[in-house]
Amino acid sequence: MARILITSALPYINGVKHLGNLVGSILPSCAYARFMRQRGHEVMFLCATDEHGTPAEIAAAKAGVPVEAYCAEMFEVQKKLCEGFGISWDWFGRSSSAQNRALTQHLAGELDKAGLISEVEERQFYSPTDGRFLPDRYVEGACPNCGYARARGDQCENCTKLLDPTDLLDPHSAISGAKDLEIRATKHLYLRQSAMRERLRAWISSKQDWSNLVSSIARKWLDDGDGLQDRSITRDLKWGVPVRKGDQPWPGMEGKVFYVWFDAPIEYIASAAEWAEARGLPDSAWRRWWRTDEGAADVRYVQFMGKDNVPFHTINFPATIMGSGEPWKLVDLIKGFNWLNYDGGKFSTSQGRGVFMDQALEVLPDSDVWRWTLLSNAPEGSDSDFTWGILQTALNKDLADVLGNFVSRVTKFSAAKFGETLPEGGAPGPLEAELTEALDKALTAYAAHWEAVEIRKAASELRAIWSLGNDYLQRAAPWSSFKTDPALAAQTVRVGVNLARLYAILSAPFIPEASGKILRALNLPEEETLKAWPADAASALTALPAGHAFAVPENLFRKMEDSGREALEARFSGVAA
RNA sequence: GGUGAGGUAGCUCAGCUGGUUAGAGCGUCGGACUCAUAAUCCGAAGGUCGGGGGUUCGAGUCCCCCCCUCACUACCA
């Protein structure tokens, strides 16, 4: 038994996430965690909301509530939605927790002791009307290059020219529209990443099993332009972790907070501390997952994220951890995902384009359908497309026809001919031998794909395993043999129902609801059965003996008609209301 | 502009360090079967691997040039 630490990129607090966010980190991390638990490993699967920063403050202001209340509410909304998708984390925390505040301040203090923090005076736009400093992208004005009136301070989206906010003509606040902007000097702390460049490079180079996507993004940051730059870790905001050196004040930094990119990944660790506190466990219970000197040396740590998050997990956060000089667990495998596009275009939170998590469950409440569709089409190798046609195919063909119909035909036939207990008689023959051989190969491949975190390949192998069942039934044809040799048909039926049990176990990482339905129909205890991962096909096909009572389950999946698909396509075309 | 990723059958995608007739699912066509959610199973057709040049006995796979798509570009997190 191994110990597996799993984290999903933290969803930002300001609103409901779309399917692209879901498939890029939360969903695959959940499926992977479920697989590892079923294999008998000890799993700690953590996630949290990322709550600090300017967008949260602005979203709260727009909603007319204090930012703390806004975050508390959105945390509950996001938590419920994820639970609706069957997300199986051990703890879903909040980056605004007391634990994260303390740990962030502590790590900043350690970095300072190590000489890795520098103070830099910079000049930023300040808006007296808004009462805040404005990040570049919250300053708008006319583009000096093309004249576009609503260029943002970081880039003109019309001519794509990169800008400095001071370049803008007629600059004003994107929040209030105020024009009385002034440039103020302000002092900030920088993490001296440049000093850790070679250490980071050596660490990154040692990771041979990272994907091309992840490695190349990491290398780019090390070597782009003048190489790895130091990076500001503080902001002039109210909503965030107050800047302190451990538990001591930080002279000159009064009233400032840590920049959200700095405290958010630290929440991976802090969320484990939240978990321990919520369960009344001692600190050692969570530190054995995170401190290599307190038991975490044998932990395997896998992170899931979209490609936009890769720099933070390959460069910035490791720099924080390594720089502290303390023995915190570093990530072993980073699983990065590309983008999921919506019908050829981009999912967009700001434009309301695509399908959001709340809408998805509203129009199609069976979360297994979403899990299977999204995971079996996950954007692993390249950006990939979500369309309603793909969902319809995944539901109708894979889930309903290949898996659902298999369970249906085998249980119904058995019940009709032999009653609702597994019949006796017959003995395995050549067909069973062939099935066993094919299944053994497939089981090995399936588990290997999960071990390598190859989600699409695992899905494809699972589908092939489902198909083996139909192939077997087709050739064994118990509906024919029953007329002449009922014992032979009984043998086929026993194998068939055992296949249904096996499918429930193998499929659970993808479709936990359907797995539960199968196991309940087969009168099997869900939790123990899921952990009975098959050692080999032969034992899996004889797990349920003659005499075992079962029931015919309701159809596992209901298909989507073309008219239903068309209605969804129409509803979600272009920009949502 | 810079950097990165990608361009493989009608569609969605696999193809590791270069090696026999380039793969899968869906779709299409044909056949078998009738237990089952008009389900299943078998078979077939379908590709000048974005374009051009080069290296090699041999390239989808390596090198160069070009075209197209997308993302990122450090103050969004």
Side-chain angles (χ1 to χ4, degrees):
Chain A
M1 183 175 91
R3 295 171 63 213
I4 320 278
L5 175 62
I6 300 166
T7 58
S8 160
L10 309 186
Y12 195 68
I13 194 73
N14 68 339
V16 172
K17 303 292 109 178
H18 55 61
L19 297 184
N21 300 125
L22 183 64
V23 75
S25 59
I26 303 173
L27 210 45
S29 58
C30 166
Y32 182 69
R34 285 177 181 272
F35 169 78
M36 286 298 172
R37 289 191 195 103
Q38 284 187 250
R39 297 307 299 268
H41 299 312
E42 188 182 359
V43 168
M44 176 63 85
F45 174 27
L46 302 168
C47 191
T49 43
D50 174 11
E51 303 193 358
H52 293 135
T54 309
E57 288 188 332
I58 291 172
K62 208 181 254 179
V65 294
V67 65
E68 292 84 352
Y70 174 81
C71 289
E73 186 192 331
M74 286 309 301
F75 166 77
E76 291 299 335
V77 167
Q78 299 215 16
K79 186 173 180 217
K80 277 216 172 59
L81 280 171
C82 285
E83 285 166 358
F85 281 92
I87 303 305
S88 65
W89 44 49
D90 293 287
W91 184 253
F92 186 58
R94 303 180 58 185
S95 70
S96 60
S97 68
Q99 286 87 346
N100 194 40
R101 187 169 61 234
L103 187 57
T104 299
Q105 292 169 341
H106 167 78
L107 286 170
E110 295 304 305
L111 287 165
D112 186 51
K113 279 185 209 162
L116 290 169
I117 301 288
S118 58
E119 289 188 12
V120 175
E121 182 162 291
E122 45 186 51
R123 299 160 67 77
Q124 291 195 347
F125 271 105
Y126 182 82
S127 168
T129 303
D130 296 301
R132 65 165 69 239
F133 281 92
L134 297 175
D136 288 357
R137 64 168 50 191
Y138 288 105
V139 181
E140 282 185 354
C143 172
N145 188 47
C146 71
Y148 178 67
R150 301 206 48 175
R152 292 187 321 202
D154 54 345
Q155 184 173 24
C156 173
E157 61 180 38
N158 186 49
C159 68
T160 74
K161 186 178 171 61
L162 295 179
L163 301 172
D164 186 277
T166 53
D167 297 338
L168 293 172
L169 310 172
D170 187 27
H172 54 270
S173 163
I175 302 164
S176 63
K179 297 195 170 185
D180 56 338
L181 304 186
E182 44 193 77
I183 293 177
R184 287 192 185 176
T186 177
K187 205 187 286 180
H188 282 295
L189 301 181
Y190 274 64
L191 176 60
R192 296 182 53 224
Q193 299 183 139
S194 57
M196 282 182 279
R197 186 180 178 199
E198 295 315 314
R199 252 178 103 183
L200 288 163
R201 186 194 307 282
W203 175 68
I204 289 163
S205 301
S206 74
K207 303 300 181 187
Q208 297 297 319
D209 55 348
W210 290 6
S211 68
N212 187 30
L213 175 75
V214 170
S215 301
S216 55
I217 291 174
R219 274 198 303 274
K220 181 213 153 184
W221 277 68
L222 289 175
D223 296 323
D224 194 37
D226 299 329
L228 185 58
Q229 302 295 299
D230 296 342
R231 194 161 188 177
S232 168
I233 62 165
T234 55
R235 296 284 86 186
D236 290 291
L237 295 178
K238 295 184 193 71
W239 178 233
V241 174
V243 177
R244 292 175 74 88
K245 251 179 234 200
D247 52 8
Q248 300 298 312
W250 201 310
M253 288 291 130
E254 294 81 6
K256 296 177 196 272
V257 300
F258 285 108
Y259 190 18
V260 54
W261 78 255
F262 183 72
D263 80 71
I266 295 171
E267 168 66 9
Y268 287 142
I269 305 175
S271 64
E274 295 171 41
W275 162 85
E277 183 186 275
R279 278 163 180 68
L281 297 168
D283 281 349
S284 59
W286 71 264
R287 291 173 74 91
R288 66 189 277 273
W289 286 100
W290 280 107
R291 291 284 297 212
T292 55
D293 59 339
E294 296 177 45
D298 65 342
V299 167
R300 176 168 167 82
Y301 178 19
V302 182
Q303 292 176 338
F304 290 78
M305 71 200 67
K307 60 184 171 184
D308 57 329
N309 257 313
V310 169
F312 293 93
H313 294 75
T314 53
I315 304 288
N316 309 130
F317 185 44
T320 301
I321 294 299
M322 287 180 183
S324 75
E326 296 182 328
W328 299 101
K329 176 71 189 168
L330 279 165
V331 66
D332 293 301
L333 178 65
I334 293 181
K335 178 69 183 182
F337 286 85
N338 288 282
W339 300 118
L340 184 71
N341 290 318
Y342 179 72
D343 206 14
K346 197 178 159 183
F347 273 96
S348 168
T349 303
S350 56
Q351 293 172 34
R353 185 169 194 284
V355 186
F356 291 77
M357 285 169 68
D358 51 350
Q359 300 170 321
L361 288 179
E362 179 200 321
V363 300
L364 213 173
D366 186 345
S367 60
D368 278 356
V369 176
W370 289 108
R371 292 176 65 100
W372 174 257
T373 302
L374 293 171
L375 287 170
S376 63
N377 292 284
E380 281 182 299
S382 59
D383 292 356
S384 67
D385 222 30
F386 173 84
T387 65
W388 292 102
I390 286 172
L391 180 134
Q392 186 189 24
T393 300
L395 166 56
N396 291 2
K397 294 301 299 181
D398 298 348
L399 296 178
D401 289 348
V402 180
L403 173 65
N405 182 54
F406 173 81
V407 173
S408 189
R409 68 195 293 206
V410 79
T411 52
K412 280 185 181 171
F413 179 83
S414 183
K417 304 298 182 191
F418 300 103
E420 291 191 325
T421 55
L422 284 183
E424 292 185 5
L431 284 178
E432 284 74 21
E434 274 181 49
L435 172 65
T436 304
E437 191 185 336
L439 212 44
D440 271 324
K441 273 191 196 140
L443 287 172
T444 303
Y446 181 57
H449 289 141
W450 271 120
E451 295 289 345
V453 205
E454 298 266 20
I455 308 287
R456 289 178 84 121
K457 287 180 182 171
S460 164
E461 194 65 45
L462 180 58
R463 191 189 179 288
I465 290 171
W466 295 339
S467 196
L468 283 176
N470 283 311
D471 182 27
Y472 168 72
L473 275 193
Q474 194 70 23
R475 293 198 289 157
W479 46 90
S480 298
S481 62
F482 181 75
K483 295 169 191 162
T484 55
D485 185 356
L488 183 58
Q491 163 67 31
T492 304
V493 158
R494 280 202 310 279
V495 169
V497 174
N498 271 289
L499 277 172
R501 170 187 169 277
L502 176 64
Y503 293 170
I505 296 170
L506 299 180
S507 309
F510 286 105
I511 47 172
E513 292 291 324
S515 286
K517 283 180 196 164
I518 296 173
L519 294 178
R520 283 192 290 281
L522 297 182
N523 284 320
L524 294 168
E526 191 167 336
E527 206 166 320
E528 292 115 275
T529 311
L530 288 180
K531 290 208 169 176
W533 194 271
D536 59 80
S539 61
L541 295 180
T542 52
L544 301 179
H548 183 87
F550 67 93
V552 175
E554 284 187 27
N555 286 348
L556 295 177
F557 297 98
R558 196 166 50 189
K559 294 192 197 183
M560 177 181 287
E561 305 290 331
D562 287 347
S563 58
R565 188 201 71 228
E566 285 157 12
L568 289 165
E569 284 169 344
R571 172 170 169 181
F572 290 96
S573 67
V575 177

